[in-house]
Every structure is written in C-alpha cells, then in structure tokens.
Amino acid sequence: MSEAGVNTGVDMLHGYSIKQTSEITGITEDTIRYYEKIGLLPRAQRKENSHRIYSDHDIETMKLITCLKKTGMSLDDMRPYLDLSLDSNLSEYPELHEMILNHKQKILDQIASLQQIVDLIDSKIDQNFLGPQECELTGDRKKMPVRRTIR
Amino acid sequence: MSEAGVNTGVDMLHGYSIKQTSEITGITEDTIRYYEKIGLLPRAQRKENSHRIYSDHDIETMKLITCLKKTGMSLDDMRPYLDLSLDSNLSEYPELHEMILNHKQKILDQIASLQQIVDLIDSKIDQNFLGPQECELTGDRKKMPVRRTIR
DNA sequence: GATTGACTTGGAGCTGACTCCAGGTTATAC
DNA sequence: GTATAACCTGGAGTCAGCTCCAAGTCAATC
C-alpha cells in the first residue's frame, strides 16, 4: 500500500503533508499544529504512521484563518466563521447568523476607522497641520456610515 | 500657590490629572503610565509633588492612539503617527513622509481585506454556500483597489 | 544496520500589551 | 496626629499567539 515516490506534489487520496500545507498556506508547521492543539482546526486526518494529511478543504480553512487574522480578529473570535465554512446552512443557526451580522458591523466600523486614518494622512499631506479634524472613533457612540469611495 | 479645591475639572494651567485623563480618554491610568514607560507618550509634565499633568494636546494624542489601535496597528508602528501630530511640518521629513504613504497603502489593503470578508458574509447570508468566491488576500500579490462603496 | 529526513508529541520560552501590586509620598479632612 | 485619597516608582504577573526544542517514530537510502 505504498505509492513509492510520487513527486506530483499531491499525495495519495489527494492529501497534502504538513510541509506542503505550510508552503501553500504560508502558515508555519508549528503554527498549524498549534491551531490544531487549541482546537481552531479540527484534528487532522493521519496516515498509518500518524503523519497529518490535509485536504483542499483544510487548506481553504487555513487561508480563511489568514484572511480573518488580517482583519485583526482574534483566533477565538474566528471560530464561528470556520464552523460557517464547514457546515453550510447558516439559516439553521439563528444565533450564529446574528453573531455574524454583528461581526459584520464591527468590521464596517473598523473600515470607517481605517478610512478616517487615511483621511487624516491625506489631510496631513495636503495641508500642513490638521486643525479641527480628528479621529472621532474614541467614543462609543454610533458611527457615521462611510460614504466615501476608497481611493 | 494653591488653588484650594477648584472643582471645575480643569486644574491650574489647564492641566488634567491622570485620573481625569483616564476618564476622558478611556485609557486606564496604568496603561497611560505604561505608554509613558515605553516611550509611546513623552514624559508627562509634573507638578511639584511629581504628579503627572496632561494638556488638551496630550489628550488628543491619546485619542489618536486609541484610534490607531482600533485599526490593529501595533504600538511600535504608531510612533511615527504620533510624531506627526506633534511637529507639524511633514514635508521637512521625506523619510517619514514615505513611511506614512506606505502605511496608508497598508491600511487601504486592510480595508480591502475587511471588505472581502463583509462580502463573504453577505454571500453566505444571501446564498447558502460560497462556491468559487474566496478571500484572495492570502498571497502577497498586489491587491485590486476596492472600488465599491461601503454599505 | 546506520544515517537521513520528515514527521510525531509534550512542554518550555518568548513577545507585545497590558494589569496588578507593594511600598512610599504628599495633601486634605476629621 | 491619624486616616483617606490620589498619586508615585519599580517590578512581577498575565494572556494571546506563537516559536522553539528534545526525544521519539518510521521509511527510505547508503
């Protein structure tokens, strides 16, 4: 039951080794194991020799983690998103649905924050000192929706 | 030389105590001292009894820190922004100028990331599974400028 | 059968960003 | 004069998120 030295990159049963997976996703092997350890990723399939094997679907999940991380989300907070990409039917879980909508609003707020900083930079570059203008996101009041198109 | 019990909130010389500053900015006293300790904030003015006093300008700086933190920026990365709000003439420091522009691009990329996640959420909500669509931000290639208006 | 390389596990160590605490000072209130 | 409150300093502890390491397994190669 050995496929003696297949070099096509993809192993038997369309599985990737942890090394390959690391190369594909840009996540280090250690970090992949760490994500499994803390339960962010489900326990990976193993070969008889207990080596982990990953599917394309696993890889997509990891890419999603990277993507969510870029938005500043904590590993804990992204768990529902990962569940979301596994079992497909969102409407069956109204709680999750609400949670996701909630998070969407947070992200929109975050975009507004970022946009204000971009504006601050622009005004700093255009003029010389930013006088009355100021980042308004320090309070916890409702934010204005950003209507500006991103340049 | 004592203003015996002025309760107007603002002390002599238009200075705020660390407690007042904490209340105004929402940053804890400990954290304000920590920011000073690591040099993110300049050493605060002191009264004769060595208590810190803060100006409106200091408060603005702290609000800016809060704002930048919301965008996921590290304390280290935000140093140039704080310098920027202190000495006004950006054009005198071409290196800083470039750094800021660089950072602006990063923020724009980050906005694009966030927007894609919002899209992902929307498509997840609208349809049931996201098929071909996927977060494209895992690679390090140049990103498309986001042209969409934020909802 | 010894070496090499890709893995395994469990656990220790590290960095950033706080957060907490002990011990000390100073001013005002009782 | 003693208690209380608001500060001070220096340093230790905490948590998230890795990152590194030692000791072991297993398969293929020399």
Side-chain angles (χ1 to χ4, degrees), chain B:
Chain B
M1 224 189 259
S2 60
E3 338 263 281
V6 183
N7 262 1
T8 53
V10 180
D11 239 35
M12 59 171 187
L13 301 168
H14 201 66
Y16 303 92
S17 73
I18 193 164
K19 190 179 192 184
Q20 290 172 320
T21 304
S22 169
E23 278 158 8
I24 294 165
T25 62
I27 304 173
T28 70
E29 298 178 37
D30 263 330
T31 301
I32 292 171
R33 287 192 207 99
Y34 169 70
Y35 287 164
E36 185 180 314
K37 203 188 281 187
I38 63 166
L40 188 65
L41 291 172
R43 183 176 160 81
Q45 292 276 102
R46 310 289 163 124
K47 295 202 280 192
E48 329 77 57
N49 61 6
S50 80
H51 287 195
R52 290 166 177 84
I53 35 172
Y54 294 100
S55 66
D56 285 322
H57 181 264
D58 293 327
I59 298 221
E60 287 315 304
T61 304
M62 292 183 209
K63 284 184 176 173
L64 181 58
I65 290 174
T66 304
C67 186
L68 292 172
K69 256 171 64 61
K70 283 198 183 173
T71 72
M73 195 181 294
S74 75
L75 298 184
D76 243 50
D77 286 352
M78 64 179 68
R79 285 173 203 274
Y81 283 84
L82 304 183
D83 297 348
L84 186 61
S85 79
L86 286 172
D87 48 68
S88 56
N89 213 338
L90 183 58
S91 51
E92 287 171 20
Y93 306 92
E95 278 182 48
L96 187 58
H97 188 261
E98 191 162 333
M99 217 167 138
I100 302 276
L101 280 180
N102 231 305
H103 218 105
K104 177 185 166 180
Q105 192 50 54
K106 273 192 193 166
I107 292 173
L108 289 177
D109 289 351
Q110 210 182 334
I111 290 175
S113 288
L114 289 166
Q115 188 59 56
Q116 286 203 19
I117 287 173
V118 170
D119 291 349
L120 185 147
I121 291 170
D122 285 343
S123 72
K124 194 70 200 175
I125 286 166
D126 294 353
Q127 311 144 32
N128 245 340
F129 201 82
L130 111 142
Q133 214 168 344
E134 162 198 346
C135 178
E136 277 169 2
L137 298 152
T138 44
D140 275 310
R141 327 195 104 232
K142 233 184 180 176
K143 280 119 205 161
M144 302 264 117
V146 178
R147 224 165 287 286
R148 211 174 282 104
T149 301
I150 299 158
R151 311 180 206 174

Side-chain angles (χ1 to χ4, degrees), chain A residues 64 68 73 77-85 100 103, chain B residues 121:
Chain A
L64 182 58
L68 292 172
M73 195 181 294
D77 286 352
M78 64 179 68
R79 284 174 205 273
Y81 283 84
L82 302 184
D83 297 346
L84 186 61
S85 79
I100 302 275
H103 218 106
Chain B
I121 291 170

Side-chain angles (χ1 to χ4, degrees), chain A residues 39-50:
Chain A
L40 189 66
L41 291 172
R43 184 175 158 83
Q45 291 275 101
R46 309 292 164 124
K47 297 203 280 193
E48 330 78 58
N49 61 6
S50 79

